[in-house]
Amino acid sequence: RGHDLLLGGQIALALILVAASAGTLRSFSHASDFERLGYRWEGLTNVFISPPATETATQTADAAGRLARSASAYERIEGHSTSRSLSLVGADRADRGTTLRVGGHPEAVAGASVPQSAVAVGPGYFDLNEIPIVAGRPITAGDAPGTDPAAVVSLDAARSLWPDRAPESVIGEVVELARGDLRTTYTVVGLARPVVLVPTAEGNRTASRIYPSILQTPDALYGGGPGTLLLRVAASGVPPTRQEWSAWVVGALPGAAISEINTMEEVLRQWVQPVAAVGTVLGVLSLLVLALVVIGIYGTVSYRIASIRRDIGIRLALGADSRRVVGAVVRPILRVVTWGTGTGAILAIASGRILASGGVPVGPTGATTLV
């Protein structure tokens, strides 16, 4: 029984590790499929810019406009857009962040249904990122200071903010962003297809978003301060070096500084790197345990046969059928394998849920993974 318990425990442990490894492999494959994200990721470069400090209340809008005009004239840039993120909270959470209201009514938006974020975007943002506009229009150069503030909402944001309405019917409705005493009301001018912001082990889930015009969003809505402006470009030919980027940005915005430069592909690879690392570790461990299981099964069978070799000889000499002799040896091993596999399957499902709840990207341990 000691051999049986050892062998069964090895089988159960092997199944746990192999299931975790297989689940992580599936998650990595799913998260690495960047075509599911719903936006362009190839050939785009992110340039994070710290605008120069000014005393104006429209610093971001001014910097975005100047960058756009300069980028349009820069021969090595074939496409560009500017954006800046701001965090949203519900009307019942006005103590922090930028409060979101629908139609100016605080009670219209519950905290749980508020989109996770807003991204103030400039003209060309949806074309450059290849995010389809399914109804209405995108943010354009006409959405500038002095005109009625405009915003695009994603389809899932429209469904959460107006749950009783067809998404296409919300064009023309208004949303209000407020921070402190500052309030800006935006008219919904378009609906964008949902996108996946970050590929994760749990699956590529879309995130609801609001896209106000960056040229019509006061700096106070971001929380004040210079913040970071994201310039995303599609460069023609060989992308400029960091020194060339710095020279061009400073030429467009004297006093500005570049804090980071990376490509969209680099960003996405960094997001899925933890899944690959966990999968590698679990894969190595599962291979080692599988080797131990193979050795354990061989050793157990060999030991059993060696201990009953005289009995086998007597049975065969008395005319026993060889298949029955083999069955008598194999059946106890199969019983051990069966309970070891069953126990391992139950523990694999439980451990997978525990690890996933703790943030370890092991992926779902379902029937397909177990098989």
Side-chain angles (χ1 to χ4, degrees):
R1 291 193 179 277
H3 289 86
D4 291 347
L5 290 174
L6 179 60
L7 179 60
Q10 288 178 341
I11 294 173
L13 178 60
L15 187 57
I16 294 172
L17 289 174
V18 172
S21 179
T24 305
L25 180 62
R26 292 182 62 200
S27 297
F28 177 74
S29 175
H30 189 74
S32 300
D33 185 5
F34 299 148
E35 301 301 327
R36 298 186 181 187
L37 301 180
Y39 56 85
R40 176 184 177 183
W41 55 273
E42 293 181 299
L44 297 183
T45 301
N46 296 325
V47 183
F48 294 88
I49 301 171
S50 298
T54 65
E55 299 298 329
T56 65
T58 58
Q59 171 185 329
T60 300
D62 178 64
R66 291 162 67 184
L67 280 174
R69 291 189 294 271
S70 178
S72 299
Y74 191 36
E75 59 183 12
R76 298 182 67 177
I77 296 179
E78 63 181 21
H80 62 88
S81 69
T82 52
S83 63
R84 184 178 175 185
S85 299
L86 59 93
S87 297
L88 296 178
V89 293
D92 56 343
R93 301 279 298 280
D95 55 322
R96 62 179 181 84
T98 300
T99 305
L100 172 67
R101 296 182 175 91
V102 174
H105 299 291
E107 68 277 3
V109 180
S113 65
V114 172
Q116 295 178 349
S117 65
V119 179
V121 301
Y125 179 87
F126 296 96
D127 289 336
L128 178 69
N129 292 280
E130 297 181 1
I131 301 176
I133 299 295
V134 297
R137 64 171 179 85
I139 299 297
T140 65
D143 300 315
T147 61
D148 292 335
V152 172
V153 300
S154 63
L155 279 172
D156 35 9
R159 294 188 181 102
S160 65
L161 296 175
W162 294 275
D164 299 327
R165 301 271 299 276
E168 294 77 8
S169 68
V170 306
I171 294 179
E173 294 290 340
V174 297
V175 292
E176 182 185 84
L177 300 182
R179 195 179 189 106
D181 296 330
L182 177 65
R183 301 174 184 272
T184 302
T185 300
Y186 298 87
T187 301
V188 178
V189 297
L191 289 177
R193 182 177 296 174
V195 297
V196 176
L197 302 183
V198 178
T200 63
E202 292 79 17
N204 297 336
R205 294 178 296 179
T206 60
S208 58
R209 265 189 166 182
I210 295 179
Y211 304 91
S213 170
I214 196 171
L215 302 178
Q216 299 171 316
T217 301
D219 284 350
L221 288 182
Y222 302 104
T228 300
L229 192 64
L230 172 59
L231 173 67
R232 182 168 293 166
V233 300
S236 58
V238 180
T241 63
R242 185 181 183 90
Q243 291 74 18
E244 290 175 326
W245 279 124
S246 297
W248 172 70
V249 169
V250 171
L253 292 174
I258 293 179
S259 59
E260 185 180 355
I261 299 176
N262 52 39
T263 65
M264 281 294 297
E265 185 171 1
E266 290 173 344
V267 173
L268 294 173
R269 298 295 179 193
Q270 290 175 359
W271 280 110
V272 300
Q273 187 175 4
V275 186
V278 172
T280 301
V281 173
L282 290 176
V284 172
L285 290 176
S286 62
L287 288 176
L288 291 175
V289 175
L290 280 176
L292 290 176
V293 169
V294 171
I295 295 172
I297 292 177
Y298 172 80
T300 301
V301 174
S302 177
Y303 174 79
R304 286 180 183 275
I305 293 176
S307 64
I308 61 173
R309 182 173 298 170
R310 180 187 297 271
D311 297 339
I312 293 175
I314 295 175
R315 290 172 184 271
L316 291 176
L318 294 176
D321 185 86
S322 60
R323 289 181 300 178
R324 296 186 63 183
V325 174
V326 172
V329 176
V330 172
R331 274 194 296 271
I333 303 295
L334 288 179
R335 283 197 294 268
V336 174
V337 172
T338 299
W339 76 256
T341 302
T343 304
I346 296 174
L347 294 178
I349 295 175
S351 61
R353 292 177 180 176
I354 293 173
L355 291 174
S357 64
V360 181
V362 297
T365 305
T368 304
T369 301
L370 289 175
V371 170

